Amino acid sequence: MTKGSATTSSYSRRDALRMMAIGGAAGLIAPNLLGKPAHARTPTKPTGRVIVGLGQEPTVFNPLMAHIEVDDGVHFSVFDALFRIDPQGVIQPNLAVEVPDQKNGGISEDGLKWRIRLRDDVRWHDGKPFSAEDVKFTLELITSPNFRSWRTAGHALVRDITVLSPTEISWRMEEAFAPYLSFLTETFIVPKHILEKEANPNNAAFNQAPVGTGAFKWGKRVAGDHLELVANTEYFGDGPHIERLVFKYIPDLTVLYTQFKSGDIDLVGQPYITPDHYVEAKTLPNRVVTLLPRTSFESFYLNLERPQFKELAVREALYAAIDKEAIIQGLYYGVPTPTETFMPRQSFFFNANLPLHQFDLNRAGKILDQAGWAKGADGIRAKNGVRLSFSNSTTSGDPLREQLQQFLQQTFAQLGVEMKISNLPAAVMWGEFWMQSQFDSVIVGSSYLIGADPDVTNRLHSRSIGAKGGRGSNNAQYANPEVDALLDKGARTFDPEARRAIYSRVQELVRRDLPFLPLYQSNSVEGLKKGINGFVPNGNTRTESWNALAWYWAS
Amino acid sequence: MSAFLLNRLFQSIVLLVIVSIIGFTVLNLMPGGPLAQFGLDPGMTQKDVERLAAQLGLNRPLWIQYLDWAWRLMQGDWGHSFRDGSSVLAVIGRHLLATLLLMGTSTALAIAAGTWIGIRGATHRYSLFDYCATVGAMVALSVPTFWFGLIGIYIFTLKLGWVPAGNMYTIGDGSVLDYLHHLILPSMVLSLVHVAIWSRYMRTATLDALSQDFVKTARAKGVRERRILLKHVIGNALLPMITLAGMQLPSILTGALVTETVFTWPGMGRLFLDSLGYSDYPVVMGLLIFSAILVVLGNLIADIVIATVDPRIRLA
């Protein structure tokens, strides 16, 4: 995303496309997107407009404030961060000229001292030059007590921020914390000269008309309907190639799809085309419909403190009794991809060598028999007075998940296992009931990663069990000292190859221990009009619009 | 008149206080709350959620939160949205015109068509027209609006291509004609229910008026039927409709939840639904108070208009 030769790592859309192809994810994109040289026909000046349809309305335009996924598309377009993450999960420079590591001296050997060199050719949309002062201001605003900031993890460890020159900044970390680099790819830099004048940054006018350094400038917003960004022709990087980028809010998902069909929108953004329309969408003329890998991981999640689930044999047997293929093909229209791990397959840290699940009801029965779970008079297995009966909960009103539950209920019944369905509204489900491990088992889909960093301390460390006073969301109450040690080590290790070994081992252990039974990794059904070039999906970000600066219409 | 108005004002204030207390309590009793959306965000720690709750003042006792909100409201401060920090009045202002356009058009359509159908149904009682109108009204009332909306989009947009599939205007166009083109389908769909209601009321009111003594007298005098209808019947039949129209006023400004969603119309109804979904308490409370004020105003206006046009009624 850099134009100048000043950078050590020049990163462009072309590189991204090439990496996509190397990375093996190319099959996910229609061949006609990759077939032509993407750089060949970009217009000389930004032309045309792309309308992205979204199922939720972006409303938070100060990228540092608490926000949700749909807001990300605006943030990635209007702002820049120090770094960006590419589709392969490799961190690339954005406002920085290089990614600091221990080899280039950007990060000290003990991981505590960070020094970042910045570009000198960046200007805010109002023409003022960007400098290290803006970075300092941004990092300080995030932890300022009255500011309603989004995530503070990592930022809270930063001390002694020093502006060494307009293009160089350094700070000290309270403890070595490797994931911070990845967090910085989602930390967009805001202008000091505008926000420092605000008495209350939470209600600042800036939040409704943001000024960034990004490839698109703020245009206008019609609340409840759409917002329009316009090309920043002074952008320091390659692009933008379209003149206007519009995010259109369409709350009803059927209507979202209908407007894609009718041509009112050019590209379907979150939450994408619903799986039940996938087959039909693929047949639409002049549309390209593909599956994008997401970071969200769906699992049959267990509460390991329940006596039914304490024994590994039970978890193994239940896993063997899940007919994943039938679920994915029969219920989910073939959209998701089966997986054995919480780590998304597009991640650099994905372990592809985990034992593969096999549906085998007989084997499941044998495992339980051998472990001493014998069927009682009521047909339900029991051992030492514990019946193999439990409840399963998920968000009520989700028809696909409810069908999945009924399907599993029937299979488990054949095995002599009783599963009762007890669903709750979303707000109740994911409140205390979830955070304080008040469930027996749950069907849940969520990302385990913050940014694209593999650190899953929050989800799997025994220190992170909310029900035991921990600060994280290890709600399965999983505790494995080896995993704990690996997670601690991983958070302090900066070398990506060394980290890959650590997190591969974590995935191995979690696959063996089965604190949750992996079902699938989510894919989104992305649809765009034929003629939009330069669209590259990036499962390491939360938005389809992470690189709108590279999009252009075929002339 | 002034005693009546003073009395009304007092009643209205009591009503608003009660509405706001109930609204505030129910809203806060709803499980989840504005921070539940971050429950599955892997990067938001429990600490982050607690910090945000404190910053939004959500960790205070409920009655203090209410008093704080009410005190500010009395000073004209409607609060700020939890979602984007904009002032509540600004948020309402951004959605008001869209709703006014859609609801105004459909209400005007409904009143015109409903009045005509109702009168014709009453004067041609038990005719084929009357039966059709009755059955039509039953269908319009019992079939959910979103179904009409989706069927309308399917037929008139996807099959015939006559009208757009929702939206208030084409992005990049926005001319008057473009607005009108987009207005056709949603306003028709929305007015269906109101035509049904209005025509039923109008039919009953007209029948009522037709059976009055003064109509019989007029007929006995040999006044022509058309003149009876225009001069004696319709005027009297319209009186109860004024109250109905008064009750209609709030909905013109507060919008239609379902239709606005199906037709992606950026109005107040959708704002309410969205704000509820995000538990954006200040905006939901703002909308609640706003519509309560409109209900009070609508009824007041209806009372005054009736008293003005009907000499039998005196405001006291």
Side-chain angles (χ1 to χ4, degrees):
Chain A
M1 244 160 271
T2 54
K3 202 186 277 172
S5 53
T7 57
T8 49
S9 166
S10 169
Y11 176 60
S12 71
R13 186 191 61 258
R14 210 185 332 165
D15 296 335
L17 284 168
R18 199 177 54 225
M19 280 187 290
M20 286 286 309
I22 296 166
L28 292 163
I29 312 174
N32 62 339
L33 271 181
L34 281 171
K36 353 182 156 134
H39 60 285
R41 265 169 264 159
T42 51
T44 44
K45 72 180 184 71
T47 23
R49 176 189 68 198
V50 172
I51 301 180
V52 180
L54 298 171
Q56 283 176 297
E57 187 185 11
T59 53
V60 180
F61 309 119
N62 181 332
L64 305 182
M65 293 185 76
H67 62 270
I68 54 172
E69 290 182 344
V70 284
D71 297 312
D72 283 9
V74 180
H75 302 167
F76 272 92
S77 304
V78 174
F79 294 94
D80 286 302
L82 293 175
F83 317 107
R84 276 202 180 184
I85 186 121
D86 70 20
Q88 272 54 59
V90 178
I91 293 173
Q92 305 286 350
N94 182 187
L95 286 171
V97 290
E98 66 182 356
V99 178
D101 57 34
Q102 287 162 324
K103 282 187 210 112
N104 66 23
I107 298 172
S108 63
E109 275 309 312
D110 58 6
L112 297 179
K113 297 221 171 57
W114 292 48
R115 181 187 275 246
I116 317 274
R117 290 194 299 126
L118 304 168
R119 300 183 66 106
D120 59 3
D121 56 352
V122 181
R123 284 186 179 272
W124 294 100
H125 293 157
D126 62 6
K128 298 264 171 19
F130 155 82
S131 84
E133 289 292 344
D134 296 304
V135 180
K136 180 171 194 271
F137 177 80
T138 300
L139 295 180
E140 284 171 347
L141 182 60
I142 292 172
T143 50
S144 129
N146 293 324
F147 183 60
R148 279 188 228 142
S149 53
W150 189 39
R151 302 165 169 174
T152 55
H155 299 298
L157 299 171
V158 175
R159 302 280 183 280
D160 309 332
I161 305 172
T162 313
V163 172
L164 303 169
S165 80
T167 55
E168 200 161 14
I169 188 167
S170 73
W171 63 75
R172 180 175 66 79
M173 300 291 282
E174 193 67 9
E175 57 184 75
F177 188 60
Y180 193 49
L181 196 60
S182 182
F183 293 5
L184 287 173
T185 65
E186 293 189 341
T187 304
F188 293 97
I189 306 301
V190 296
K192 178 186 181 189
H193 67 279
I194 294 176
L195 278 166
E196 71 178 346
K197 293 181 199 136
E198 295 286 347
N200 181 358
N202 295 312
N203 302 334
F206 170 85
N207 302 347
Q208 291 304 315
V211 175
T213 55
F216 292 91
K217 296 184 198 182
W218 183 258
K220 64 169 181 176
R221 170 176 180 229
V222 178
D225 194 73
H226 72 274
L227 68 91
E228 192 173 306
L229 306 179
V230 290
N232 172 17
T233 47
E234 310 291 311
Y235 189 59
F236 60 85
D238 184 14
H241 306 304
I242 48 172
E243 200 184 353
R244 278 175 299 159
L245 173 63
V246 176
F247 292 99
K248 167 93 179 111
Y249 168 44
I250 302 167
D252 187 289
L253 297 193
T254 307
V255 179
L256 179 66
Y257 175 64
T258 309
Q259 296 208 2
F260 173 61
K261 233 167 115 173
S262 66
D264 289 276
I265 56 173
D266 303 313
L267 198 149
V268 186
Q270 279 163 27
Y272 309 98
I273 297 171
T274 48
D276 52 327
H277 286 124
Y278 176 45
V279 173
E280 187 202 283
K282 278 196 294 189
T283 65
L284 294 177
N286 297 317
R287 302 287 186 279
V288 182
V289 173
T290 50
L291 293 181
L292 313 189
R294 309 301 306 170
T295 47
S296 183
F297 159 69
E298 185 99 353
S299 68
F300 195 90
Y301 195 90
L302 308 168
N303 182 353
L304 301 187
E305 286 300 320
R306 293 283 189 264
Q308 303 93 310
F309 300 133
K310 284 209 167 187
E311 206 176 318
L312 178 62
V314 172
R315 308 197 293 267
E316 279 177 344
L318 290 179
Y319 194 37
I322 296 179
D323 188 353
K324 274 196 213 181
E325 198 53 26
I327 291 165
I328 289 171
Q329 295 305 328
L331 295 177
Y332 287 86
Y333 304 89
V335 171
T337 309
T339 185
E340 300 296 339
T341 174
F342 55 86
M343 193 71 74
R345 66 185 183 279
Q346 67 271 24
S347 167
F348 179 76
F349 304 93
F350 174 67
N351 182 343
N353 302 316
L354 298 173
L356 283 182
H357 161 270
Q358 266 175 343
F359 169 60
D360 188 342
L361 217 47
N362 289 330
R363 198 180 131 245
K366 273 187 203 133
I367 296 173
L368 288 175
D369 289 340
Q370 280 165 10
W373 291 85
K375 278 189 189 170
D378 56 357
I380 307 298
R381 290 177 189 265
K383 180 180 175 183
N384 301 335
V386 178
R387 286 174 81 238
L388 204 40
S389 162
F390 56 88
S391 69
N392 181 265
S393 312
T394 193
T395 315
S396 53
D398 180 337
L400 281 181
R401 281 214 187 123
E402 281 168 3
Q403 285 175 37
L404 168 62
Q405 284 177 314
Q406 287 163 16
F407 181 80
L408 292 176
Q409 190 179 42
Q410 286 163 18
T411 340
F412 289 164
Q414 292 174 34
L415 199 62
V417 174
E418 183 182 50
M419 178 178 123
K420 288 173 260 175
I421 298 172
S422 152
N423 292 341
L424 296 163
V428 184
M429 182 70 217
W430 309 116
E432 248 177 44
F433 183 75
W434 166 245
M435 298 298 282
Q436 296 295 318
S437 306
Q438 293 164 359
F439 55 87
D440 289 349
S441 70
V442 156
I443 293 179
V444 57
S446 96
S447 171
Y448 277 49
L449 309 187
I450 308 175
D453 195 83
D455 177 35
V456 283
T457 303
N458 194 27
R459 297 277 187 189
L460 293 169
H461 201 291
S462 64
R463 214 170 45 217
S464 307
I465 302 173
K468 294 181 179 163
R471 279 293 192 184
S473 50
N474 176 1
N475 305 328
Q477 315 201 52
Y478 175 60
N480 178 334
E482 195 185 344
V483 170
D484 286 356
L486 285 166
L487 290 175
D488 290 340
K489 191 176 166 200
R492 288 191 310 263
T493 306
F494 288 84
D495 176 46
E497 285 301 337
R499 297 188 88 200
R500 176 135 73 176
I502 293 170
Y503 293 102
S504 284
R505 178 68 184 146
V506 170
Q507 291 170 70
E508 239 172 74
L509 292 169
V510 171
R511 170 64 181 82
R512 188 196 69 196
D513 293 344
L514 291 173
F516 35 76
L517 315 178
L519 294 174
Y520 60 78
Q521 185 192 335
S522 303
N523 293 310
S524 306
V525 183
E526 172 59 64
L528 63 156
K529 276 188 187 159
K530 242 176 216 162
I532 298 180
N533 290 314
F535 177 85
V536 180
N538 185 345
N540 295 306
T541 68
R542 304 196 300 174
T543 171
E544 71 294 321
S545 304
W546 73 285
N547 77 332
L549 82 170
W551 299 352
Y552 64 95
W553 286 99
S555 48
Chain B
M1 185 79 171
S2 61
F4 165 81
L5 282 179
L6 265 179
N7 190 15
R8 258 311 173 80
L9 188 69
F10 177 71
Q11 284 177 11
S12 310
I13 289 172
V14 173
L15 183 82
L16 287 180
V17 170
I18 294 174
V19 165
S20 66
I21 290 178
I22 294 177
F24 202 88
T25 315
V26 171
L27 207 54
N28 278 278
L29 282 179
M30 244 177 18
L35 303 175
Q37 53 180 319
F38 301 116
L40 287 178
D41 185 328
M44 294 285 275
T45 58
Q46 190 63 24
K47 219 167 155 180
D48 283 324
V49 173
E50 282 162 18
R51 169 181 54 84
L52 282 169
Q55 286 169 338
L56 294 172
L58 295 169
N59 52 355
R60 299 170 300 171
L62 199 56
W63 62 276
I64 292 189
Q65 288 183 46
Y66 174 78
L67 287 182
D68 182 45
W69 171 83
W71 176 242
R72 282 166 192 268
L73 184 72
M74 278 191 272
Q75 294 165 318
D77 176 5
W78 288 57
H80 288 85
S81 159
F82 284 170
R83 278 169 85 191
D84 65 5
S86 307
S87 87
V88 170
L89 282 184
V91 174
I92 291 179
R94 283 180 212 144
H95 292 80
L96 200 58
L97 277 179
T99 278
L100 201 61
L101 181 65
L102 176 64
M103 298 303 291
T105 313
S106 76
T107 308
L109 272 176
I111 290 182
T115 308
W116 181 77
I117 295 173
I119 294 173
R120 201 178 147 86
T123 52
H124 298 72
R125 209 173 166 192
Y126 305 135
S127 66
L128 181 65
F129 178 88
D130 190 28
Y131 281 122
C132 288
T134 307
V135 172
M138 294 320 284
V139 172
L141 281 174
S142 42
V143 175
T145 318
F146 76 85
W147 187 85
F148 279 125
L150 289 177
I151 288 295
I153 291 178
Y154 179 76
I155 297 174
F156 297 108
T157 304
L158 293 182
K159 291 288 149 199
L160 298 172
W162 290 352
V163 288
N167 301 331
M168 192 161 71
Y169 58 92
T170 313
I171 293 168
D173 185 341
S175 61
V176 176
L177 266 181
D178 185 50
Y179 269 95
L180 287 178
H181 193 203
H182 282 82
L183 199 53
I184 297 173
L185 196 55
S187 62
M188 298 277 263
V189 165
L190 201 55
S191 63
L192 269 180
V193 179
H194 294 289
V195 171
I197 298 174
W198 200 268
S199 67
R200 298 314 290 162
Y201 274 109
M202 193 64 206
R203 181 177 178 274
T204 314
T206 313
L207 283 177
D208 225 32
L210 279 171
S211 64
Q212 297 288 322
D213 288 343
F214 55 79
V215 174
K216 289 178 191 154
T217 314
R219 284 203 181 118
K221 282 197 300 187
V223 181
R224 271 184 303 161
E225 201 62 24
R226 192 182 163 75
R227 197 177 151 76
I228 294 178
L229 202 64
L230 287 176
K231 195 155 168 67
H232 301 286
V233 176
I234 292 181
N236 279 289
L238 277 176
L239 278 179
M241 307 314 280
I242 293 172
T243 315
L244 196 62
M247 281 158 62
Q248 195 77 45
L249 178 75
S251 79
I252 292 182
L253 292 169
T254 52
L257 302 181
V258 178
T259 314
E260 288 183 0
T261 302
V262 171
F263 288 100
T264 48
W265 199 271
M268 301 279 282
R270 225 172 69 190
L271 173 66
F272 184 74
L273 218 56
D274 283 356
S275 306
L276 213 53
Y278 285 95
S279 297
D280 193 347
Y281 298 156
V283 177
V284 176
M285 284 309 292
L287 287 170
L288 218 64
I289 293 301
F290 180 71
S291 47
I293 292 175
L294 288 173
V295 170
V296 169
L297 268 181
N299 282 306
L300 186 67
I301 293 172
D303 283 349
I304 294 174
V305 173
I306 286 187
T308 320
V309 298
D310 188 344
R312 291 171 303 183
I313 297 173
R314 286 281 164 270
L315 299 176

